Amino acid sequence: MKQNNRKKAAWIFAATFLIVLAVLAAAMLKTSAVPRGSTWTKVFDLYDEGLTEHNYQAFTYDFTFANKTKDEVSDFVFRLGFRHDAFLSSAWNGALEIHQNTASGEAVAYIPDLRDYDPADYALNYFTVDGETLIAMKDGDYLVYYPSTGMNAMEIPIKANEGTTPGFIMYVPIGASIEDSSL
C-alpha cells in the first residue's frame, strides 16, 4: 500500500511541477492583440442584395510579442482562431497559413506575403469589395502566422527583453471585434 501511495505522490508532484513550468513559460512570453484606434467602414453587399448602409468596420490589429526572458527567442508562430465572421484584408511582414472550413473539407493555403495575394493562385473563399480582395474567415477557421526573418521586418530573433509587433487589417461586422477570438 505504501508503494502505491509513493507512486501516486510522485505522479501528483510531477504533474504539479509541469503545470508550474507551463505557467512560468507563459508569463515570460507575453502576447496581446489590441486594435488601433483608427477605423473605417464599408458596405459589404456580399450576396448582391442591394445593401447601401455601411455594415462592416475595418480594424488594424497589432499582436505584440514580448520576450521577458534573458534568452533570445529564435522561433515562434501563433495561431488565431476565429469565433465569428471576419474578412482578412492585409498583413505585414510574416507569412500566413490560412485554414478555412468548406463544404468539401478544409482548405489550407500558405501565403508567403499577403500583399502579393492573388486569389487565382489559392483555393480559398474570398470576396472583392470596392476593388479590395478579402479572405473570408468564418467561425472555426484559423490562421497561423510565421514571423519574418527578412531585413525589413526582423521579427525574429527576438532579443532578451525586447518584442515584435506583427499585425493585420480585418473587417468585422459593425459592433463586433476579434478580441474574443482565440490566440
Side-chain angles (χ1 to χ4, degrees), residues 25-93:
M28 290 181 195
L29 295 172
K30 293 269 186 190
T31 305
S32 62
V34 180
R36 292 185 193 172
S38 62
T39 184
W40 58 97
T41 61
K42 282 189 177 185
V43 176
F44 277 44
D45 189 7
L46 303 174
Y47 306 105
D48 296 323
E49 301 169 286
L51 300 176
T52 58
E53 296 286 324
H54 286 214
N55 55 351
Y56 275 78
Q57 185 170 10
F59 287 98
T60 301
Y61 287 93
D62 291 320
F63 294 84
T64 302
F65 291 86
N67 177 7
K68 297 188 175 212
T69 70
K70 59 183 176 181
D71 298 316
E72 182 176 274
V73 174
S74 60
D75 192 19
F76 76 90
V77 300
F78 71 82
R79 178 179 186 239
L80 177 63
F82 293 88
R83 293 198 177 124
H84 57 77
D85 291 358
F87 293 89
L88 184 58
S89 168
S90 181
W92 43 93
N93 297 338

Side-chain angles (χ1 to χ4, degrees), residues 103-149:
S104 60
E106 183 181 36
V108 179
Y110 180 83
I111 304 170
D113 188 337
L114 194 58
R115 295 170 294 190
D116 298 329
Y117 174 72
D118 180 354
D121 295 337
Y122 302 94
L124 294 173
N125 294 326
Y126 71 94
F127 291 92
T128 302
V129 176
D130 294 338
E132 184 177 9
T133 302
L134 307 165
I135 298 173
M137 303 302 287
K138 304 279 187 194
D139 183 20
D141 291 348
Y142 66 95
L143 61 83
V144 178
Y145 181 85
Y146 296 91
S148 174
T149 58

Side-chain angles (χ1 to χ4, degrees), residues 17-30 68-69:
F17 183 72
L18 289 174
I19 290 170
V20 168
L21 282 178
V23 168
L24 286 173
M28 290 181 195
L29 295 172
K30 293 269 186 190
K68 297 188 175 212
T69 70

Side-chain angles (χ1 to χ4, degrees), residues 151-172:
M151 288 304 294
N152 291 336
M154 283 301 295
E155 292 181 314
I156 52 176
I158 305 172
K159 295 184 180 356
N161 298 307
E162 291 187 9
T164 189
T165 306
F168 306 96
I169 296 176
M170 283 188 258
Y171 286 88
V172 296

